[in-house]
Amino acid sequence: MVSPVFFTLPFKSPTWIFFTSQKALAPFFEQYVFQPEVKFGAIGEATAEALKEYVPTIHFEGIGNDTGKIAEEFSALLHSQDYVWLPGAQKSNRTLQKHLRPNSYEEIAVYSTKTVDKTVNQVFDLIVFTSPSNVDGFLMRNSVIAGQRVLAFGNTTAAKLEEYGIVAETASGFTQVELFQSISRILS
């Protein structure tokens, strides 16, 4: 479950504003006043597509499902004087931050995720996990049983599943089309 949280915008102006999740867009843009000199980046195609509702130009769009590689590519674009705002979740995996220079960015928590632990009384051929918190919530009251296939939406989610000893296939990307293609491939 996602909820917006109170936040204040940093004093230092950004060169870039980079989004790692679509969930950060609405709460962030409720307070942010568009500045044409600021560049915008998105972790992937789905986030970039949603970002287009708020800004006229996306200056960086990650391709694929390897967030570490996308973070490296974005980091390589930055100049020494660039300053990046990172609107996102209170509990972030910080994949992008690991690739940025210290003091070159500001994290802005604009939403929180609440782990929902709910018992699922059905057995499915395939379980799709969309985030690490989704993994935690499901496994609080459920388990993956023999014969079930598991699909992770991204490497970070796959790594979280591995912490529980669960091997998952990783979706080929972050869009709905790529997710559908991955599901079709697994179930065929």
Side-chain angles (χ1 to χ4, degrees):
M1 177 174 283
V2 175
S3 303
V5 298
F6 174 79
F7 67 94
T8 57
L9 293 174
F11 180 73
K12 187 172 181 178
S13 295
T15 314
W16 284 87
I17 300 175
F18 192 95
F19 293 89
T20 57
S21 172
Q22 298 175 53
K23 297 170 192 156
L25 296 172
F28 178 77
F29 283 103
E30 284 179 10
Q31 288 192 39
Y32 177 73
V33 178
F34 179 76
Q35 300 168 12
E37 69 278 4
V38 174
K39 295 178 182 175
F40 291 89
I43 195 74
E45 184 180 347
T47 302
E49 200 56 40
L51 181 57
K52 288 177 185 174
E53 294 181 28
Y54 298 93
V55 299
T57 305
I58 311 297
H59 300 88
F60 176 87
E61 179 182 326
I63 305 293
N65 66 352
D66 186 339
T67 54
K69 182 179 176 190
I70 293 167
E72 288 175 8
E73 291 169 355
F74 175 68
S75 178
L77 290 176
L78 299 177
H79 298 98
S80 60
Q81 75 279 8
D82 284 342
Y83 192 72
V84 183
W85 284 2
L86 301 168
Q90 282 181 328
K91 287 177 24 179
S92 166
N93 292 307
R94 306 190 82 247
T95 302
L96 182 63
Q97 292 85 323
K98 294 171 188 170
H99 296 275
L100 298 175
R101 291 181 337 279
N103 303 316
S104 69
Y105 64 90
E106 179 102 20
E107 296 176 74
I108 308 168
V110 299
Y111 72 94
S112 67
T113 56
K114 180 182 177 204
T115 303
V116 177
D117 59 336
K118 182 178 178 181
T119 303
V120 177
N121 294 317
Q122 291 179 282
V123 176
F124 297 94
D125 294 329
L126 173 66
I127 304 173
V128 178
F129 292 98
T130 58
S131 69
S133 62
N134 183 231
V135 172
D136 288 335
F138 180 83
L139 294 174
M140 287 175 138
R141 295 196 185 201
N142 306 280
S143 60
V144 176
I145 59 174
Q148 282 183 312
R149 306 284 297 273
V150 178
L151 178 65
F153 210 56
N155 294 337
T156 306
T157 304
K160 184 57 141 181
L161 286 159
E162 287 177 18
E163 289 177 20
Y164 286 99
I166 298 169
V167 177
E169 296 186 47
T170 304
S172 58
F174 296 110
T175 66
Q176 289 180 354
V177 170
E178 290 164 323
L179 179 60
F180 177 76
Q181 289 170 341
S182 297
I183 290 170
S184 296
R185 177 179 36 83
I186 291 170
L187 294 178
S188 60

